[in-house]
């Protein structure tokens, strides 16, 4: 009854054959694996730390981004009011608008200069092309909606109408 | 350990994410997005200054329509070629340009090389379309470890694989397509029972519909019909839709 089956005996013998040298080799292999994993984790943690630092900087730098994005349509309306209103009313709105722009500039908002410049797809959105023999191909003829940057990031591209006299402009 | 990124290579928009501390984090596009969020348009443009991908490509499309390629995903797995300045480009090559931008943005964001990716594909994609997607990844320098069905990815994102067994329906309303998939899940495995949808219906159609209509009686007819006004109206419709969706 106590006799082991032949297969189990083989297993026991195989187990008995593992020498201290084998065990040492196995432990060394495991140790190397762990060291490699540790190095990867250290490198990953270092990258993570850099990303977190950078993220924290960006959060501070662009803290006003959402608020500014929501204020831009208000600024557009004030621009339109300045154009539409005449006399003292128009002058008053212009002063309020200028004061608002000054405050927004202090937190990093900058208007993207567009009119007359060469169309730049990184800062401008072309919504129409028109011929104008007096202007160069690819130049911005008019700005339909002003574009703004917050520091170095485009908050809203300028919507522009671009001159196209020949068959091709940007190809 | 090298990061593996997950890529949603969409018909209209694309984006990528990676796992950090067990949760997915989206990688922002380098140029940002005009309407917020972190995805960018799946648009490629060939200009005299080089190849543009994403927002800049879309912004110059009016000026350069013949060299601007949109919705190339619809042509994946076919013999279709885009001919630009006498040179033919396969859908795989165009998609690779989108994937290369994702790779570059991911490397800049993560601060390490990114060579491995998982890409999602519609459940209805056949073998040719799946192979074409893998080829696009290879051209872009990415080792595509796996293609995951889009509805499966959506189910995984909601943790449904850990919620036992059952049947689920995934409704994927994208920018240009609307896919509906019925799946059976069990032991973390998702099996597609049926998939269908409308390949010509998406968020862009909502934008077009809600921004077209009769002009107010006070509006001058020339102003209403100009292309610039139409583009502005569509932009407003997109922003309004996104604001209501959030």
């Amino acid at each position: 009854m106590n006799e082991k089956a032949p297969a189990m005996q083989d297993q026991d013998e195989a187990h008995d054959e593992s020498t201290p040298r084998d065990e040492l080799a196995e432990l060394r292999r495991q140790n190397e694996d762990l060291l490699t994993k540790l190095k990867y984790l250290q490198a990953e943690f270092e990258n993570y730390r850099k990303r977190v630092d950078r993220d924290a900087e960006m959060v501070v730098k662009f803290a006003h981004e959402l608020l500014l994005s929501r204020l831009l349509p208000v600024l557009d309306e004030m621009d339109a009011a300045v154009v539409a209103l005449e006399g003292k009313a128009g002058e008053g709105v212009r002063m309020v608008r200028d004061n608002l722009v000054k405050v927004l500039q202090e937190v990093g908002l900058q208007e993207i200069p567009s009119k007359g410049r060469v169309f730049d797809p990184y800062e401008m959105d072309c919504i129409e092309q028109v011929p104008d023999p007096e202007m160069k191909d690819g130049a911005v003829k008019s700005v339909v909606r002003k574009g703004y940057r917050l520091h170095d990031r485009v908050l809203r591209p300028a919507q522009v109408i671009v001159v196209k006299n020949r068959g091709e402009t940007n190809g | 350990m090298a990061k593996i990124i997950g890529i949603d290579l969409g018909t209209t928009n694309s984006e990528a994410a990676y796992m950090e501390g067990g949760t997915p984090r989206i990688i922002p596009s380098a140029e940002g997005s005009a309407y917020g969020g972190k995805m960018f348009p799946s648009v490629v443009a060939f200009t005299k200054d080089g190849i543009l991908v994403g927002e800049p490509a879309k912004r110059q499309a009016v000026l350069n329509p013949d060299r601007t390629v949109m919705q190339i995903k619809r042509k994946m797995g076919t013999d279709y070629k885009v001919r630009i300045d006498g040179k033919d480009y396969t859908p795989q090559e165009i998609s690779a340009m989108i994937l290369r931008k994702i790779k570059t943005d991911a490397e800049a964001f993560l601060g390490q090389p990114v060579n491995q990716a998982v890409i999602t594909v519609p459940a209805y994609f056949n073998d040719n379309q799946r192979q074409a997607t893998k080829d696009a990844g290879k051209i872009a320098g990415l080792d595509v470890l796996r293609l995951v069905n889009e509805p499966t990815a959506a189910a995984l994102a909601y943790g449904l694989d850990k919620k036992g067994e059952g049947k689920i329906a995934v409704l994927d309303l994208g920018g240009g397509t609307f896919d509906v998939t019925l799946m059976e899940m069990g032991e973390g495995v998702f099996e597609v029972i049926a998939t269908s949808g409308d390949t010509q219906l998406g968020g862009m159609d909502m934008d077009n519909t809600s921004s077209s209509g009769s002009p107010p009686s006070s509006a001058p007819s020339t102003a209403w019909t100009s292309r610039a006004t139409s583009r502005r109206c569509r932009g407003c419709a997109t922003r309004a839709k996104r604001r209501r969706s959030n």
Side-chain angles (χ1 to χ4, degrees):
Chain A
M1 288 290 284
N2 287 336
E3 276 183 8
K4 288 179 180 173
M8 288 179 75
Q9 277 180 346
D10 288 349
Q11 277 179 7
D12 285 354
E13 280 163 17
H15 185 72
D16 291 339
E17 275 174 15
S18 74
T19 61
R21 188 169 291 179
D22 291 341
E23 278 179 26
L24 184 64
E26 174 61 17
L27 286 172
R28 277 192 175 140
R29 194 189 57 75
Q30 282 181 8
N31 193 35
E32 278 207 5
D33 281 355
L34 288 171
L35 274 175
T36 309
K37 276 184 187 164
L38 180 65
K39 279 179 191 165
Y40 275 125
L41 276 174
Q42 273 177 332
E44 197 169 329
F45 179 74
E46 189 57 30
N47 282 332
Y48 173 76
R49 200 181 54 75
K50 282 181 193 163
R51 262 201 313 278
V52 168
D53 287 350
R54 189 187 56 190
D55 284 357
E57 264 178 44
M58 297 298 263
V59 165
V60 173
K61 193 173 176 185
F62 293 98
H64 305 295
E65 188 174 11
L66 185 63
L67 176 65
L68 288 173
S69 297
R70 294 198 166 188
L71 276 174
L72 293 184
V74 180
L75 207 52
D76 294 340
E77 286 164 8
M78 294 186 90
D79 282 338
V82 168
V83 174
L85 293 171
E86 291 174 357
K88 283 190 175 174
E91 185 62 18
V93 174
R94 191 186 60 74
M95 285 170 67
V96 173
R97 185 232 174 243
D98 290 349
N99 282 338
L100 176 64
V101 168
K102 199 175 161 194
V103 172
L104 298 179
Q105 281 173 343
E106 282 170 7
V107 294
L109 188 77
Q110 308 156 50
E111 186 183 326
I112 296 171
S114 306
K115 195 170 179 181
R117 283 180 62 207
V118 175
F119 172 73
D120 177 359
Y122 286 94
E123 296 193 324
M124 304 169 196
D125 183 7
C126 173
I127 57 172
E128 196 171 7
Q129 51 184 353
V130 291
D132 185 343
E134 291 179 7
M135 291 181 79
K136 279 186 181 174
D137 260 4
V140 173
K141 182 175 171 59
S142 59
V143 179
V144 178
R145 193 188 68 180
K146 287 179 182 174
Y148 290 93
R149 269 188 232 113
L150 177 57
H151 305 296
D152 52 348
R153 184 185 290 178
V154 174
L155 198 55
R156 186 179 81 176
Q159 285 190 333
V160 297
I161 295 177
V162 178
V163 174
K164 185 182 181 184
N165 292 316
R166 287 181 286 116
E168 295 171 1
T169 303
N170 199 30
Chain B
M1 208 166 286
K3 289 276 183 201
I4 302 168
I5 57 170
I7 299 173
D8 172 9
L9 184 61
T11 308
T12 315
N13 296 299
S14 296
E15 63 190 323
Y18 69 102
M19 294 298 283
E20 189 171 82
T23 52
R25 189 171 173 193
I26 297 173
I27 297 164
S29 168
E31 296 85 24
S33 168
Y35 301 114
K38 290 169 180 174
M39 61 187 177
F40 65 90
S42 307
V43 180
V44 175
F46 296 78
T47 75
K48 61 173 187 268
D49 299 321
I51 293 169
L52 299 174
V53 181
E55 284 294 344
K58 192 178 175 188
R59 288 178 196 149
Q60 59 80 65
V62 170
L63 278 178
N64 188 29
D66 297 339
R67 294 186 185 82
T68 303
V69 187
M70 296 180 182
Q71 304 201 335
I72 196 66
K73 187 176 172 180
R74 291 184 196 279
K75 304 293 182 189
M76 290 294 270
T78 69
D79 294 333
Y80 177 84
K81 299 262 176 27
V82 184
R83 197 168 183 80
I84 310 271
D85 296 331
K87 192 183 171 197
D88 286 339
Y89 295 89
T90 62
Q92 294 91 305
E93 287 173 310
I94 300 292
S95 292
M97 291 169 191
I98 298 169
L99 292 173
R100 202 170 292 129
K101 175 202 164 36
I102 288 175
K103 183 179 188 296
T104 308
D105 286 358
E107 288 175 343
F109 182 76
L110 296 169
Q112 59 179 264
V114 173
N115 299 313
Q116 295 178 311
V118 172
I119 304 177
T120 58
V121 291
Y124 58 77
F125 255 27
N126 62 28
D127 287 347
N128 281 348
Q129 291 167 305
R130 286 168 195 268
Q131 188 56 50
T133 306
K134 277 189 178 176
D135 292 346
K138 200 171 179 184
I139 297 167
L142 288 167
D143 179 13
V144 181
L145 300 178
R146 193 175 293 185
L147 296 177
V148 179
N149 283 333
E150 286 163 6
T152 303
L156 290 172
Y158 281 93
L160 297 184
D161 54 320
K162 297 181 184 73
K163 291 190 178 169
E165 299 177 351
K167 287 189 178 75
I168 54 163
V170 178
L171 285 76
D172 179 1
L173 182 56
T177 59
F178 179 40
D179 304 325
V180 181
T181 307
L182 193 61
M183 293 195 298
E184 181 137 38
M185 57 177 192
E187 295 171 2
V189 178
F190 293 86
E191 192 185 340
V192 175
I193 300 170
T195 182
S196 187
D198 190 333
T199 56
Q200 304 294 327
L201 175 67
M204 276 167 65
D205 299 293
M206 293 181 189
D207 301 343
N208 290 337
T209 305
S210 57
S211 61
S212 64
S214 303
S217 55
S218 57
S221 59
T222 48
W224 192 257
T225 53
S226 88
R227 197 180 287 177
T229 307
S230 162
R231 277 287 303 273
R232 290 189 75 189
C233 284
R234 199 159 61 241
C236 288
T238 306
R239 280 193 296 279
K241 178 192 71 185
R242 293 192 180 191
R243 206 166 281 176
R244 284 181 174 274
S245 306
N246 287 334

